[in-house]
Amino acid sequence: MRVVFLISAISSDNTGMGGHYYSARAIVSALIAKGVDARLVVLGDMYPKAYDDIRDQVDFIQFSGFGYLSYFRRVASLFKTINPDVVHSIDNKSFFIARIMSLVYGFKLVLTKPGGPNPTTFFPYCKDMVLFSAENMEYFRSKNKFRTSRIVHIPNRVEAFQTDWVRIDEIKRALPADSKVLLRIGRIGEAYADVIRQTGNLVRYLRARDLAVVGVVVGVVQDAELLKELKDEYSQELAFYSDDRYTKNAAELIELADAVVGTGRSLMEAACKSRALLTTLAGSQYPVIVDEGNFQALLATNFSPRNALVGFDDVGNLNKLTTLFSQNMAFIAAEKFSGQAAEEYFDLSSAVGRYISVYEGASVQSVFGLFDVLLN
């Protein structure tokens, strides 16, 4: 079986370092390890920084902003050369190209919405869909437009990755030696501003109770004004690392931390290193500990800023957080739960068979009415 993973990289949309880029490369790598002929193809006006270290494994067709017909010809030439059985698109823009090309070459189509909130406007029809979150699955299954779609929920997974002790040591040298490290890895922009504030608030709260804790934020800057605001607000609580040396393959820095405030993929990566897990909670001043009691509810929203817990006890959560950072046995229990969650829910190798089943059963049907294609 020959599978192409198709993803767009548009400079006006993102930084080329979002979690879905890493998810795509991880899935491709896992498929190859299982004997599938899988390739990663990027379409857009920039090459994703997330793929700088695997340039020889990526086909990149750059769009300069002019010559649409010429661009389509170049894309068509690549598809003709590869001759895929399945094209799996990871976003709507790349799916539009895949739909057009499937009319010519007749390959099967699969579309993934890689987490995020439910659509509020148009979303293209696809017969075969893979969704990372239960929240998205419930939404699409409830819509009449997708009543004939085969919708599969495969939670986002991560593959094994190395730890970069050189970069970790660089950061450690700038931190208080006797402090526990609370780490946040994620973009520094409005979408995740509250997550960073919750991280800083927790460090401040714990320090006020004479607990030695320091916060570290590693992330690409999407909003320079916000970064300045956060640095001013949390100058004593948080250390920021935003240049490429630290943001590229930032997961390799996770073992710097004792605990991680994770969202989506960053939480899953932290679990794979058995770090104590915290995540954001909508409307809260502080992050919440991820434990057996709330895991499924938080997984349903992909550990995102949309997280909500029925009957949440803010005082009880702060007591748990204080216990975590003050008692070693609480840390040991949190790390044990984290490792178990990674093994059961986040290990990519255990999901490869499900992806292969999706591809084997996928449909050649390429369009759902001309109007839907044009809206795409």
Side-chain angles (χ1 to χ4, degrees), residues 22-132:
Y22 289 98
S23 295
R25 68 179 279 179
I27 297 167
V28 168
S29 176
L31 287 168
I32 291 172
K34 293 292 185 179
V36 177
D37 184 357
R39 295 178 67 164
L40 190 55
V41 176
V42 177
L43 308 177
D45 65 349
M46 68 171 184
Y47 186 86
K49 290 183 178 180
Y51 300 156
D52 274 348
D53 59 331
I54 56 168
R55 284 181 177 268
D56 60 333
Q57 303 169 41
V58 178
D59 293 296
F60 174 49
I61 304 182
Q62 187 169 14
F63 179 65
S64 61
F66 302 96
Y68 289 95
L69 183 58
S70 172
Y71 188 73
F72 271 83
R73 284 175 178 162
R74 288 160 57 206
V75 175
S77 177
L78 179 63
F79 277 120
K80 183 179 180 180
T81 299
I82 298 175
N83 189 27
D85 299 297
V86 181
V87 172
H88 187 162
S89 300
I90 312 298
D91 56 74
N92 293 0
K93 290 184 174 66
S94 64
F95 183 58
F96 172 72
I97 302 290
R99 295 175 97 176
I100 300 301
M101 293 297 137
S102 69
L103 292 172
V104 180
Y105 298 110
F107 46 71
K108 301 175 183 180
L109 292 174
V110 176
L111 173 61
T112 282
K113 184 182 187 305
N118 291 327
T120 56
T121 56
F122 170 82
F123 195 90
Y125 173 85
C126 186
K127 182 73 173 179
D128 296 280
M129 301 177 67
V130 174
L131 303 173
F132 284 173

Side-chain angles (χ1 to χ4, degrees), residues 74-359:
R74 288 160 57 206
V75 175
S77 177
L78 179 63
F79 277 120
K80 183 179 180 180
T81 299
I82 298 175
N83 189 27
D85 299 297
V86 181
V87 172
H88 187 162
S89 300
I90 312 298
D91 56 74
N92 293 0
K93 290 184 174 66
S94 64
F95 183 58
F96 172 72
I97 302 290
R99 295 175 97 176
I100 300 301
M101 293 297 137
S102 69
L103 292 172
V104 180
Y105 298 110
F107 46 71
K108 301 175 183 180
L109 292 174
V110 176
L111 173 61
T112 282
K113 184 182 187 305
N118 291 327
T120 56
T121 56
F122 170 82
F123 195 90
Y125 173 85
C126 186
K127 182 73 173 179
D128 296 280
M129 301 177 67
V130 174
L131 303 173
F132 284 173
S133 75
E135 174 190 25
N136 291 160
M137 179 185 67
E138 291 171 6
Y139 169 84
F140 283 106
R141 285 183 173 174
S142 72
K143 297 301 178 183
N144 190 55
K145 176 178 178 178
F146 299 95
R147 68 189 183 281
T148 61
S149 294
R150 288 182 289 262
I151 300 173
V152 179
H153 174 217
I154 306 178
N156 195 9
R157 309 288 180 110
V158 297
E159 63 178 342
F161 56 92
Q162 300 297 314
T163 292
D164 189 335
W165 294 108
V166 173
R167 289 190 294 166
I168 286 175
D169 286 344
E170 289 175 5
I171 297 174
K172 274 188 172 181
R173 285 197 293 270
L175 302 177
D178 60 345
S179 294
K180 283 187 167 63
V181 176
L182 180 62
L183 176 65
R184 165 64 191 161
I185 295 176
R187 288 166 286 170
I188 302 172
E190 196 55 46
Y192 294 102
D194 285 346
V195 186
I196 300 172
R197 290 190 177 100
Q198 288 173 2
T199 304
N201 290 342
L202 178 57
V203 173
R204 186 176 294 165
Y205 178 88
L206 294 171
R207 284 183 173 179
R209 282 143 187 84
D210 295 323
L211 295 173
V213 182
V214 62
V216 175
V217 177
V218 179
V220 174
V221 178
Q222 291 184 311
D223 186 331
E225 286 300 315
L226 175 63
L227 175 61
K228 182 179 183 303
E229 177 186 323
L230 291 169
K231 282 185 172 181
D232 290 343
E233 186 176 357
Y234 298 103
S235 59
Q236 301 302 308
E237 292 84 11
L238 301 177
F240 290 85
Y241 293 83
S242 59
D243 54 29
D244 284 355
R245 171 153 181 77
Y246 301 105
T247 59
K248 285 184 180 178
N249 299 319
E252 295 176 356
L253 304 177
I254 284 172
E255 292 197 72
L256 164 73
D258 296 284
V260 173
V261 181
T263 51
R265 185 178 184 82
S266 67
L267 182 136
M268 299 171 190
E269 290 170 333
C272 290
K273 294 297 185 182
S274 296
R275 303 294 99 171
L277 301 177
L278 283 65
T279 192
T280 183
L281 198 66
S284 176
Q285 283 189 286
Y286 304 96
V288 60
I289 294 177
V290 180
D291 59 24
E292 190 172 359
N294 60 27
F295 181 86
Q296 291 296 335
L298 297 168
L299 176 64
T301 45
N302 204 33
F303 306 102
S304 73
R306 300 180 306 285
N307 289 337
L309 294 172
V310 177
F312 176 70
D313 179 3
D314 192 48
V315 173
N317 181 57
L318 285 173
N319 288 337
K320 286 183 180 179
L321 288 166
T322 303
T323 299
L324 176 67
F325 282 88
S326 61
Q327 297 182 15
N328 285 335
M329 290 304 296
F331 248 107
I332 292 170
E335 291 167 349
K336 181 179 179 181
F337 171 78
S338 177
Q340 290 171 340
E343 185 176 348
E344 184 172 354
Y345 292 96
F346 306 143
D347 179 14
L348 181 56
S349 62
S350 65
V352 172
R354 298 188 65 193
Y355 277 102
I356 292 173
S357 294
V358 169
Y359 301 148

